[in-house]
Amino acid sequence: MADETRKATLIIGNENYDLPIYSPTEGPDVIDIRKLYGQAGVFTYDPGFTSTASCDSTITFIDGDEGVLTHRGYPIDQLASKSHYLEVCYLLLYGELPTAAELEKFEDTITHHTMIHEQMHNFFRGFRRDAHPMATMVGVVGAMSAFYHDSTDISDPHQREIASHRLIAKMPTIAAMAYKYSIGQPFVYPRNDLDYAANFLHMCFAVPAAEYVVDPILARAMDRIFTLHADHEQNASTSTVRLASSSGANPFACIAAGIACLWGPAHGGANQACLEMLKEIGSVDRIPEFIARAKDKNDPFRLMGFGHRVYKNFDPRAKVMKQSADEVLDLLGVENNPILQVAKELEKQALADPYFADKKLFPNVDFYSGIILEAMGFPTSMFTPVFAVSRTVGWISQWKEQLADPQMKIGRPRQLYRGHKQRDYRDIETR
Ligand code: SDX
């Protein structure tokens, strides 16, 4: 850790405690409090970790005030327009953009890991048909640790590499199978002649009874959605994966934990919740009613797809997603989609409202993604599985980085205890 000359001094009572300050490549300085409890006998208190850096990372940087998101230094808008998902996967995993030969080898490796063990098909049949696909994905991904024993030893770099490739390659297959199972259609096997995004669309929408040709513009839009969701610093699900991994859990169990966390409506589940909200609003004349509810402290309703823990400006992904929504809906001849009109008018009215401006609440990545996914033919229940497919590479990249960190130790936060002082057991007769 460089730059240990700078110090912050904490004064508690008559004691001074010097704490090292570290300077990042970008972003705020950090104060190293690792020795604070040992020196001063106090904990810091930061529920929700709003002011806490949990790790030292080189993967993704976010500037919430400026609306900046970079992966290994490359801005997300450039990656979304010039790159493609598997190339971004390589960048996140290995730190540099690949050469043509490196990319070809990586894409070939991923392509040839897309099938899952045939016996895993039986897991799906244990679920009700109306199970949420995220429930199925948590179960099936966790079960991968029962099938791929040759890539669960996290101390073996070769096994870590295979597990990484298997998860990135098989997540679309598992998500598509969860969807097919939920609609009672047969599973569609992956095809090696299709690229990552086209393969996913084919596995979701092809049926044995007819040939399904993937529209290249929809495949490009799908690939862009994957790219925009790939990684996002230490968000809730990534932090979940890191914490699970810190105990030495196998990669499949860690990613299953990340999927479970992502499912929440405050996190990756917001894309489903946002489209359901837009449908509930239904028409632009009902927007004021919902904005009033979002502002009402006594009403738990929040505008789904709005606000962010870090972005206090536009989420740069939302800007790209909004452009993509216009393109896809134009292509599909649904540019007058009433839900898109409600979304655009809601964004306009909310951004003009002092409540949202003062609290720096802007559309986030989930605000427009659902509109595109629905136009592509996905039910709302598949929106968060799509997010999970994309974010797998981010979880895996952060998982690999943590395992390679010599400072890594099991994550074990403490607490501010405000329960009872110690007291003696009372027999039931005396209660
Ligand atoms: C993702 O962390 C990541 O990077 C996540 C993510 C990723 O790529 O991994 O970017 C993906 O999860 C995006 C966020 C998706 N979630 C939603 O769209 C759900 C709606 N948004 C909110 O629930 C909320 O904005 C959060 C959860 C996203 C952020 O919440 P914070 O940072 O804890 O902020 P907060 O709840 O303390 O809100 C600050 C204030 C509050 O008012 P006060 O108590 O200060 O008076 O803003 C209000 C909130 O009531 N507020 C909202 C609001 N979001 C916050 N009011 C109305 N509508 C909203 N959407």
Side-chain angles (χ1 to χ4, degrees):
M1 196 71 78
D3 188 17
E4 295 215 13
T5 55
R6 295 169 59 208
K7 305 273 187 210
T9 300
L10 183 63
I11 300 170
I12 302 177
N14 299 322
E15 297 295 331
N16 287 10
Y17 301 95
D18 287 339
L19 303 168
I21 295 177
Y22 306 134
S23 298
T25 314
E26 293 204 71
D29 287 347
V30 300
I31 300 172
D32 184 344
I33 58 167
R34 283 176 291 182
K35 295 179 180 169
L36 179 62
Y37 179 57
Q39 291 172 353
V42 296
F43 296 144
T44 58
Y45 182 63
D46 186 15
F49 310 119
T50 50
S51 300
T52 294
S54 61
C55 62
D56 177 347
S57 181
T58 63
I59 300 173
T60 290
F61 174 70
I62 301 171
D63 182 328
D65 294 327
E66 298 303 317
V68 169
L69 166 60
T70 63
H71 293 318
R72 305 289 191 180
Y74 296 99
I76 190 62
D77 56 320
Q78 292 184 28
L79 293 172
S81 59
K82 299 171 189 260
S83 184
H84 63 276
Y85 181 67
L86 280 190
E87 184 176 73
V88 171
C89 286
Y90 187 99
L91 175 66
L92 289 168
L93 285 169
Y94 303 112
E96 296 296 337
L97 289 169
T99 62
E102 289 166 335
L103 181 59
E104 183 183 359
K105 181 172 185 295
F106 180 70
E107 290 183 334
D108 185 66
T109 300
I110 297 300
T111 297
H112 288 87
H113 276 88
T114 48
M115 287 206 322
I116 65 172
H117 191 294
E118 192 69 8
Q119 206 162 313
M120 287 189 71
H121 290 209
N122 299 328
F123 282 118
F124 291 85
R125 290 181 173 73
F127 290 93
R128 287 170 46 135
R129 290 283 180 175
D130 61 356
H132 194 291
M134 285 296 276
T136 310
M137 289 184 74
V138 169
V140 174
V141 171
M144 288 174 76
S145 47
F147 278 85
Y148 299 108
H149 295 114
D150 60 342
S151 59
T152 52
D153 177 358
I154 60 170
S155 64
D156 178 348
H158 177 64
Q159 292 197 33
R160 293 205 296 265
E161 189 76 349
I162 294 180
S164 303
H165 294 159
R166 278 176 166 154
L167 280 157
I168 292 166
K170 297 178 192 315
M171 201 60 81
T173 307
I174 292 167
M177 291 173 76
Y179 172 53
K180 284 302 203 185
Y181 183 73
S182 73
I183 58 175
Q185 288 187 359
F187 298 141
V188 175
Y189 284 85
R191 280 183 26 188
N192 295 352
D193 63 324
L194 297 175
D195 68 33
Y196 193 88
N199 208 1
F200 177 62
L201 292 175
H202 185 265
M203 288 189 285
C204 288
F205 298 124
V207 289
E211 188 187 6
Y212 176 84
V213 178
V214 179
D215 184 314
I217 294 183
L218 292 189
R220 177 68 188 133
M222 185 78 260
D223 188 275
R224 188 179 297 145
I225 287 175
F226 284 151
T227 296
L228 292 173
H229 290 83
D231 188 50
H232 212 239
E233 199 211 67
Q234 305 312 317
N235 59 84
S237 54
T238 298
S239 299
T240 300
V241 171
R242 279 183 173 259
L243 195 56
S245 168
S246 73
S247 74
N250 76 68
F252 306 109
C254 294
I255 298 305
I259 296 171
C261 177
L262 184 74
W263 193 0
H267 188 14
N271 51 19
Q272 172 175 348
C274 180
L275 197 80
E276 288 164 353
M277 174 193 74
L278 293 171
K279 288 184 173 178
E280 186 186 357
I281 295 173
S283 65
V284 294
D285 54 15
R286 290 196 65 199
I287 288 172
E289 169 196 338
F290 281 83
I291 286 183
R293 283 187 58 196
K295 292 160 64 176
D296 179 356
K297 277 281 157 241
N298 300 316
D299 188 331
F301 172 78
R302 286 190 165 184
L303 285 187
M304 291 290 108
F306 254 78
H308 198 278
R309 171 59 59 75
V310 176
Y311 290 122
K312 301 310 173 189
N313 196 321
F314 255 90
D315 180 334
R317 302 167 297 176
K319 287 184 178 176
V320 180
M321 202 71 80
K322 184 175 180 179
Q323 293 162 5
S324 196
D326 284 330
E327 290 167 15
V328 170
L329 297 184
D330 282 349
L331 166 86
L332 296 173
V334 288
E335 61 276 10
N336 296 319
N337 176 307
I339 297 300
L340 180 61
Q341 303 317 319
V342 168
K344 288 184 172 180
E345 182 60 24
L346 173 60
E347 177 187 359
K348 182 179 163 193
Q349 291 190 26
L351 294 181
D353 188 304
Y355 173 91
F356 295 90
D358 295 348
K359 294 180 185 295
K360 300 183 186 297
L361 301 174
F362 292 87
N364 58 48
V365 68
D366 295 309
F367 190 68
Y368 283 101
S369 57
I371 293 167
I372 302 172
L373 293 170
E374 183 178 67
M376 286 177 161
F378 289 104
T380 53
S381 61
M382 277 299 290
F383 291 3
T384 310
V386 166
F387 196 149
V389 168
S390 166
R391 187 52 59 86
T392 295
V393 67
W395 291 331
I396 284 293
S397 302
Q398 303 268 352
W399 168 77
K400 286 182 68 178
E401 181 177 70
Q402 175 169 285
L403 289 177
D405 182 349
Q407 300 183 86
M408 197 274 277
K409 56 197 325 184
I410 189 167
R412 204 315 189 173
R414 301 302 303 274
Q415 63 180 4
L416 167 61
Y417 175 70
R418 285 184 163 157
H420 286 283
K421 285 186 177 293
Q422 184 167 315
R423 52 183 174 163
D424 294 329
Y425 180 80
R426 292 167 54 206
D427 294 333
I428 194 162
E429 296 79 16
T430 67
R431 293 174 206 158

